[in-house]
Amino acid sequence: MSASRGAAAAPVSAARRATADPVKALMHRHRDLCERAVDPLEIAAGLEAHGVTDRTAARFRHRDVFSLAEEMYARVPRDTDPAPHPTDPPTPRARAASIVLALLPGALCAAAVTGLRLTHGRTRLTVAALGVLAVALAVRAALRRGPLAATARTGGTWTCWLVGYALLGDGLLQAALAGGPDGLPDGTADGPWPVTVAPVLALTLACAPAAVSARLLAVRARRRLTASRGLADFSASVRPLLLGTFVLFMAVLTALAALTGMVLGEPAAYPQALTLGALLLLARLLTVHGHAYAPSLVLTAAATAEATALATLFAGRLPGCGFLAAPVEALVDLWGPAGVPTIACGAGALVLLVHATRRLTRASAHASTEPPR
């Protein structure tokens, strides 16, 4: 009889302890998060990701999530040796390598464009092929190390399509409207299939400003995460930082588009370069901070819209199918060939900007447990 009473009393006493110490029950619920966290900020970010707010923290007798996370971190038993902090600055060699990788795409693209201007015939074709391969490998390397590196994969194929359309799409659209194209692109702006080099060169040169923007956002947001005493306070302080970083990058990209257009003697192509640059930057920032699904979806939609515009234009040549090309023809008559990529990329960039102001202003987006690469 006494044994059964003791067994029945055990759950009751455990429930009373949990009621008396609600933080302990919360620690048990988030045991893995507490054990792997290297500082209280990691716990605060993890709690926020699980839906814990400052109002919820009040039920655990704390004024905000940060105060609750500090207690949870202090109560977790740890080894005597402290874990390495994730925000330790990278070594000078790693930082120098990241800078070189960020500058490499623009430098190789400029070299390839110079080669195209100085060669002719099959030599120009060879230079173009080698240039495309070299720039693609350089961009891939820049996205694998440094501030633009991310563990998740996005739609690389669709990104290549969008950049390729910026190079060849407007010329193909214009040639198709005139009944062509009558030949393959020859690397010039006045050939049978015109090539628009200026916006692509501006975008590759913008890899370095994009890396600086990503680094600036990550470092400043981490500092504000340390100084903030509430989730709402942190979000309010990071939102202007995010928008300011985005505006700064767009200003630099505008200057690069003007410079490349002037040097190459081509139109600066501001609408194509700016909308595509904004789309790619926002997609990368979201991916770097752990939100890869929306960027992949938006990049796919933008590329699909451009491909559909070209497909319907050629399908309109079939007997009785002229109505298919009517929307694209009307758009080109109104805004020119640049209207297609501007609308596709501009709409995608706007969607990602709204999404970024919601996702990248959360503490959980700026407290990664992985060290910087």
Side-chain angles (χ1 to χ4, degrees):
M1 177 70 77
S2 60
S4 62
R5 288 179 180 176
V12 176
S13 61
R16 288 177 178 174
R17 286 196 301 268
T19 304
D21 190 359
V23 176
K24 185 175 182 181
L26 185 66
M27 291 176 61
H28 180 73
R29 193 182 314 156
H30 300 283
R31 179 179 177 181
D32 293 339
L33 171 64
C34 295
E35 291 179 349
R36 70 169 183 265
V38 296
D39 61 18
L41 299 179
E42 305 294 346
I43 298 180
L47 292 176
E48 185 207 31
H50 285 87
V52 178
T53 63
D54 291 339
R55 181 176 298 180
T56 308
R59 298 204 300 265
F60 294 92
R61 304 169 186 173
H62 283 272
R63 64 182 180 275
D64 51 44
V65 174
F66 289 86
S67 174
L68 176 61
E70 287 174 353
E71 179 182 346
M72 294 172 68
Y73 180 80
R75 293 175 61 173
V76 174
R78 302 181 185 280
D79 298 333
T80 55
D81 296 332
H85 199 277
T87 56
D88 289 341
T91 62
R93 182 177 299 179
R95 183 174 296 175
S98 299
I99 295 173
V100 171
L101 289 177
L103 294 171
L104 194 58
L108 290 177
C109 188
V113 172
T114 302
L116 289 174
R117 294 298 178 95
L118 298 177
T119 56
H120 302 277
R122 291 188 175 182
T123 304
R124 173 181 286 175
L125 182 61
T126 302
V127 170
L130 292 177
V132 169
L133 179 61
V135 172
L137 293 176
V139 171
R140 183 181 182 185
L143 296 181
R144 288 196 166 189
R145 294 189 60 182
L148 297 177
T151 55
R153 293 184 178 182
T154 54
T157 302
W158 300 117
T159 302
C160 291
W161 168 273
L162 292 170
V163 176
Y165 190 96
L167 181 67
L168 301 169
D170 287 353
L172 177 58
L173 193 66
Q174 187 174 357
L177 288 171
D182 300 324
L184 295 176
D186 58 2
T188 64
D190 54 357
W193 183 338
V195 176
T196 310
V197 179
V200 177
L201 179 57
L203 288 170
T204 55
L205 291 172
C207 285
V212 172
S213 299
R215 177 69 178 172
L216 180 65
L217 176 63
V219 172
R220 294 292 181 86
R222 183 72 186 190
R223 289 177 183 173
R224 297 188 182 188
L225 180 61
T226 306
S228 297
R229 299 310 307 171
L231 299 179
D233 179 35
F234 174 75
S235 296
S237 65
V238 170
R239 189 171 290 107
L241 173 63
L242 171 63
L243 297 177
T245 302
F246 175 72
V247 171
L248 178 63
F249 171 80
M250 296 303 295
V252 175
L253 181 58
T254 302
L256 289 173
L259 178 63
T260 54
M262 180 181 63
V263 171
L264 298 176
E266 297 181 4
Y270 293 113
Q272 300 96 309
L274 296 182
T275 54
L276 179 55
L279 175 62
L280 295 180
L281 174 71
L282 292 169
R284 198 63 196 175
L285 288 178
L286 283 164
T287 303
V288 167
H289 291 281
H291 300 284
Y293 177 74
S296 180
L297 189 64
V298 171
L299 289 175
T300 302
T304 303
E306 293 180 345
T308 302
L310 290 174
T312 54
L313 196 60
F314 284 103
R317 297 181 179 181
L318 299 174
C321 296
F323 67 94
L324 294 175
V328 178
E329 292 175 349
L331 178 61
V332 173
D333 290 339
L334 184 62
W335 286 348
V340 172
T342 300
I343 291 177
C345 296
L350 182 60
V351 170
L352 289 187
L353 181 60
V354 174
H355 188 65
T357 56
R358 296 177 56 194
R359 296 297 183 182
L360 298 187
T361 56
R362 301 181 62 182
S364 54
H366 301 280
S368 173
T369 57
E370 296 182 1
R373 289 168 292 177

